[in-house]
């Protein structure tokens, strides 16, 4: 295994502090904002927008799930150093839509080594938007928890030129990330390209125990765009990524995470008085994933490898209409075709196992198709009152392509027509305040992972026995700003018929009825020009009504308290993350992450982190921090149980501990 980089024990703060100008010198051109320790309060009802390039604590994220956990309401099902599964308000998997530049992608691994967020390096995107609850119909089918949009913005350039930005992140346990993005062009078009690389060694927990968690990931993207006028954009883009990752929770590691993507986008605005905008996108995604027990660990007597892949192609079209000034109507449709295949190999050596899967024939095990139509309306009832509503209808087909020897439902299909919709009322009060209430309904088609388990009746296939999940949820809340104080509160209450629950101890998928409720509370107080206090609270309660017990895999109460200082070119801050004990669980039950099940109660914990920053000029930003200052040993409630891995402490039958004290330094450069 790689050794820890020796310099990281204390140098980041020294690097940050050395060479600071004398207090009497002139201030730089740009004032430094504080490091993000919790996402900003809601921009609008149920919508959070945040800048993924802004420095943040804990240690700047290397994947999408790691980034999202800084937003109140999000948790992560942890399995070591990377590739956790994001959870919003207790909902995970296909209940939460993840769109990369408007495209839905799905991982290939049957055990969820590679959720969609595993293919995201957040800082390579320009904006991340979270839509909470079933309160939109524009971004896909069945997304009962909400939607996360990772987006790149490429506005038209007014004259020929270029701009670039990049970053370097270094930290304890061998953390070493690089990111670069360059755009060149003029009024008629542009070329944009970028790349990322993220690496870390095995980390140690607070007690000094090594956790099998090293990883190396890289990604690249490129786009060519035509912008003949201010209202038109045509863009052809492509992306390619790969990597490897070690996991402390299972008997195999990820040896390959190759993703290939091609997308064609057309946007046109201000076509007429009626047609405000049209946009269309076609895309193709291919994921080629390899897992084995010999690339990143010492195997037993048998070398094993598995190679699933997944091809997803689709498209989306929408038109934004303005029949009258007070009414905006978005009409559109989307479609998706999805094919999953698998091959494997084993032998008494690494070469035998590798040659075994490479020489094996691909076996298709499932195929999915979806077609949907949607309409979403915003009606301004007055200057202070709005009614937002939407409806969509989706036609789904799933085909069991497994052989008869592996599935009792081999060759059969499941076809459904599923509706979704919502209506929300919003009203402004005061100079900068809004309250809202909305009712949403989403029907979700069972996904690949849920269908591949056994049925409650004792058969070896839940492909046809698993019914669509139906969520009806009330969302309500308010946001308020006045002078130096801002507050937002959101609450939800939902009834879920045919909630899809996996019992990992029995290996079955079943439907139950459930109730969920909870919410988020966020606030900021700028109590002096230089000092700001921030706080957030998130809580979820879920109950399995069918079995009269708690709903599995629900995160505990979490509170974040932050204190930020920003004056001229300098900033400093602290984050105190407090997580309550969780005594509500359902042993053996959970979601689609392999063995992502409740294994018992957890105690509460608190983790303290510190940061500092310096902007010597408008081009360069340096930030540094130390996470888990007190070197606490702790594990998240939503954590996988570990596996026995030679050379590492065993977390078998218990949760995987999180990293101990981590020092980090980040340098960002922006040129334009």
């Amino acid at each position: 295994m790689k050794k820890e980089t020796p310099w990281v024990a204390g140098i980041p703060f020294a690097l940050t502090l050395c060479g600071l100008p004398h207090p009497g010198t002139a201030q730089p051109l740009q004032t430094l904002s504080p490091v993000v320790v919790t996402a900003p309060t809601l921009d609008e009802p149920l919508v959070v927008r945040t800048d993924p390039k802004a420095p943040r604590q804990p240690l700047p994220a290397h994947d999408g799930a790691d980034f999202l956990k800084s937003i109140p309401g999000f948790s992560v099902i942890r399995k070591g150093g990377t590739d956790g599964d994001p959870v919003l308000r207790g909902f995970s998997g296909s209940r939460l839509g993840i769109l990369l530049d408007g495209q839905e992608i799905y991982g290939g691994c049957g055990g969820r080594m590679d959720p969609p967020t595993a293919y995201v390096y957040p800082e390579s995107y320009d904006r991340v938007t979270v839509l909470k609850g079933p309160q939109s119909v524009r971004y896909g089918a069945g997304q009962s928890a909400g939607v996360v949009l990772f987006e790149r913005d490429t506005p038209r350039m007014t004259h020929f030129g270029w701009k670039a930005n990049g970053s370097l992140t270094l930290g304890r346990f061998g953390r070493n990330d690089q990111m670069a993005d360059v755009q060149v062009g003029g009024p008629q078009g542009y070329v944009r390209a970028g790349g990322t690389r993220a690496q870390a060694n095995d980390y140690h927990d607070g007690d000094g125990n090594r956790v099998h968690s090293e990883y190396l990931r890289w990604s690249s993207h490129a786009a060519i765009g035509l912008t003949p006028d201010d209202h038109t954009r045509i863009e052809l883009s492509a992306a390619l990524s790969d990597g490897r990752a070690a996991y402390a929770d299972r008997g195999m590691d990820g040896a390959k995470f190759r993703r290939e993507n091609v997308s064609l986008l057309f946007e046109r605005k201000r076509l007429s008085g009626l047609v405000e905008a049209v946009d269309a996108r076609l895309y193709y995604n291919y994921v080629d994933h390899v897992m084995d027990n010999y690339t990143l660990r010492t195997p037993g007597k048998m070398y094993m490898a598995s190679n699933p892949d997944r091809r997803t192609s689709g498209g989306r079209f929408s038109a934004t209409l303005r029949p009258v000034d007070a009414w905006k109507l978005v009409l559109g449709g989307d479609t998706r075709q999805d094919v999953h295949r698998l091959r494997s190999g084993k032998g008494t050596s690494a070469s035998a196992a590798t040659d075994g899967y490479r020489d094996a024939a691909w076996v298709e095990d499932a195929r999915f198709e979806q077609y949907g139509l949607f309409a979403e309306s915003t009606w301004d009832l007055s200057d202070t009152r709005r009614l937002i509503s939407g409806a969509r209808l989706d036609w789904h087909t799933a085909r069991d392509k497994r052989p008869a020897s592996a599935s009792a439902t081999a060759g059969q299909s499941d076809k459904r027509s599923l509706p979704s919709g919502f209506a929300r009322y919003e009203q402004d009060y005061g100079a900068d305040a809004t309250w809202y209430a909305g009712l949403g309904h989403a029907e979700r088609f069972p996904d690949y992972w849920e269908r591949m388990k056994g049925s409650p009746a004792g058969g070896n296939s839940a492909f046809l026995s698993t019914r669509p999940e139906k969520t009806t949820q009330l969302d309500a809340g308010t946001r308020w700003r006045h002078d130096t104080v801002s507050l937002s509160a959101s609450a939800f209450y939902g009834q879920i018929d045919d909630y899809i629950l996996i019992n990992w101890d029995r290996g079955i998928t079943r439907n139950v009825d459930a109730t969920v409720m909870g919410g988020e509370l966020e606030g900021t107080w700028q109590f002096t020009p230089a000092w700001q206090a921030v706080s957030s609270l998130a809580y979820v309660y879920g109950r399995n009504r069918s079995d009269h017990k708690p709903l599995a895999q629900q995160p505990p109460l979490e509170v974040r308290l932050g204190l930020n200082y920003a004056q001229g070119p300098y900033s400093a801050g602290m984050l105190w993350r407090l997580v309550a004990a969780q005594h509500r669980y359902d042993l053996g039950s959970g979601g689609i992450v392999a063995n992502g099940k409740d294994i018992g109660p957890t105690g509460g914990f608190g983790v303290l982190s510190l940061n500092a920053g310096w902007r010597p000029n408008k081009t360069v930003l340096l930030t540094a921090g130390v996470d888990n200052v007190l070197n606490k040993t702790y594990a998240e409630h939503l954590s996988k149980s570990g596996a026995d891995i030679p050379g590492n402490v065993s977390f078998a039958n218990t949760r995987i501990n999180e990293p101990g004290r981590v020092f980090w330094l980040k340098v960002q450069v922006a040129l334009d």
Side-chain angles (χ1 to χ4, degrees), residues 31 64 110 301:
T31 299
K301 295 181 180 180

Side-chain angles (χ1 to χ4, degrees), residues 322-385:
R322 185 74 70 167
V324 296
D325 289 343
W327 184 26
K328 183 175 75 173
L329 179 63
V330 180
L331 302 175
D334 49 43
T335 182
R336 185 182 70 251
Q337 293 77 41
D338 183 20
V339 179
H340 189 277
R341 303 186 303 176
L342 180 68
R343 61 184 181 178
S344 60
K346 61 182 179 179
T348 56
S349 67
S351 59
T354 301
D355 291 342
Y357 83 76
R358 288 178 176 173
D359 294 339
W362 287 103
V363 177
E364 184 178 329
D365 57 357
R367 181 180 292 261
F368 294 83
E369 295 179 0
Q370 173 265 331
Y371 302 90
L373 296 173
F374 61 85
E376 189 164 307
S377 164
T378 301
W379 185 274
D380 294 326
L381 303 174
S382 69
D383 291 341
T384 60
R385 297 180 299 125

Side-chain angles (χ1 to χ4, degrees), residues 19 56 62 89 249 326 512 542 564 671:
R56 60 188 60 232
H62 68 278
R89 292 175 161 182
D249 69 313
V512 299
N564 293 325
L671 303 170

Side-chain angles (χ1 to χ4, degrees), residues 400 402 406-409 446-467 500-511:
D400 188 348
R402 292 173 291 179
S407 172
T409 57
D447 61 33
Y448 169 82
W449 299 271
E450 292 160 340
R451 293 178 183 272
M452 290 292 129
K453 303 295 181 293
S455 69
N460 64 356
S461 174
F463 205 93
L464 299 181
S465 62
T466 305
R467 299 185 296 276
I500 301 175
L501 184 69
I502 296 177
N503 186 298
W504 285 97
D505 291 345
R506 297 174 58 192
I508 65 170
T509 298
R510 55 192 290 258
N511 292 98

